[in-house]
Amino acid sequence: NQIKWEDTNFYKEGIDFMNLYHLRYFVTLAHLEHYTKAAEILFIHSAKLNHAISSLESELGVKLFEK
């Protein structure tokens, strides 16, 4: 039997789990130490990068970067 994502409590509760994109965003931002430059390199809007980093911080329970 294969479990469908929609059938899990995680999906129903709307929990946002870190994914490989978020980790890639984190590594890029850590390397460049600049949100706008990292967003440009990643070809995303800086708001999306900020949201991804905020999601990681919430999930991990720690602040990852000083602004």
Side-chain angles (χ1 to χ4, degrees):
N1 289 338
Q2 189 174 18
I3 298 174
K4 294 181 182 175
W5 176 252
E6 297 84 11
D7 295 334
T8 65
N9 286 334
F10 303 124
Y11 181 80
K12 293 174 186 170
E13 294 172 10
I15 296 173
D16 185 23
F17 284 95
M18 104 176 62
N19 60 45
L20 292 177
Y21 285 108
H22 290 174
L23 294 175
R24 186 170 149 236
Y25 298 168
F26 169 78
V27 169
T28 303
L29 181 56
H31 178 73
L32 296 173
E33 299 178 352
H34 195 278
Y35 272 83
T36 304
K37 290 177 184 177
E40 289 173 359
I41 294 291
L42 294 163
F43 298 104
I44 61 172
H45 290 282
S46 56
K48 183 174 182 175
L49 176 61
N50 190 41
H51 177 73
I53 297 301
S54 294
S55 293
L56 276 175
E57 291 175 336
S58 294
E59 187 172 341
L60 298 172
V62 296
K63 188 137 179 90
L64 298 171
F65 296 100
E66 296 281 332
K67 287 189 177 185

